[in-house]
Structure formats: C-alpha cells, structure tokens
Amino acid sequence: HMLDGPPKALPRLEAQNVAPVLAKGSAYNRDVAPAPQFKIGDRVRVRNLQPMGHTRLPGYLRGKTGAIALYHKAHVFPDSNAHGGGENPQHLYAVRFFARDVFGRNTDDVLQADLFEPYLEAP
C-alpha cells in the first residue's frame, strides 16, 4: 500500500556508472525481427495520425519533417500496450527538428522528440 511508510530512496548513481547502466538498456527494450526502416541522418515526416485513445505522438509534430538523430532500439509500443493489445514492439528513434519548421518562427533552435517507427514515413 502506498501509504505504508516513506518511499524508499534509490541508491545514488555515480558518474562512472552512468555509461554501464545506460548500456544495459531499458526494461522496455525488446528484440524484433524486422530491421529498422530508418537510419541516423534519414529525413522523415511525422504521419498525421489521429488515433483513438492513448498515443505518444505529439500533436504539434504531426506533418512536420525532421531527421533521425539517434536509434533507441525496439521498445514496447505504448499505443498498443495501453489498450490491452500486447507489447507490439516497435523501433524507437530520436528525431531532430528545426523549431522554425515546427513553430514557424525565424530561429535556428532545434528540438528533439522520441518517436516510434509507426509514426514516421519517408518525406
């Protein structure tokens, strides 16, 4: 029960242990058979999906074009898992966008979002 005493503190993560911990991956990493569709540097467009229910697809990025910055391996797909559809693992990417392309402002700022492969298409 959540009210049965104070929360337990996590041990401190020392700087020298960060890389080994990150290398272990996430508890949500999964192996999938199909190879990733995109590679670092590829241009991608965020699909204009309008799913019912839970999604991790930010509305402000729909229809916007960016580039793959990182590949995070395959992860449990929350859009499926949240609705009882199983883990349905999907490849996950960090996609970098120019803020001017997303928000229409004259700036060289960039933003980055982690997006699952079903959200993306070739431009």
Side-chain angles (χ1 to χ4, degrees):
H1 191 262
M2 291 183 59
L3 301 177
D4 292 339
K8 297 200 182 342
L10 294 173
R12 184 171 166 195
L13 182 59
E14 300 295 336
Q16 67 270 17
N17 296 326
V18 171
V21 167
L22 291 176
K24 288 180 185 176
S26 159
Y28 297 98
N29 281 106
R30 298 294 184 268
D31 292 324
V32 293
Q37 184 178 346
F38 305 107
K39 63 185 183 314
I40 292 174
D42 284 354
R43 301 280 300 156
V44 292
R45 180 175 33 251
V46 180
R47 297 172 64 203
N48 188 14
L49 303 173
Q50 305 294 325
M52 295 295 292
H54 179 81
T55 185
R56 294 282 174 95
L57 175 57
Y60 65 90
L61 292 176
R62 294 173 189 169
K64 306 302 182 186
T65 301
I68 302 293
L70 295 168
Y71 171 60
H72 294 303
K73 302 181 182 175
H75 285 67
V76 172
F77 190 41
D79 297 32
S80 172
N81 204 38
H83 295 288
E87 293 187 348
N88 188 20
Q90 300 292 327
H91 297 288
L92 179 63
Y93 306 89
V95 182
R96 185 168 293 139
F97 301 86
F98 285 107
R100 67 176 167 264
D101 295 336
V102 175
F103 302 113
R105 298 226 166 90
N106 187 13
T107 175
D108 289 331
D109 291 343
V110 296
L111 63 118
Q112 191 165 291
D114 289 339
L115 300 171
F116 286 92
E117 192 169 89
Y119 302 160
L120 305 172
E121 62 188 4

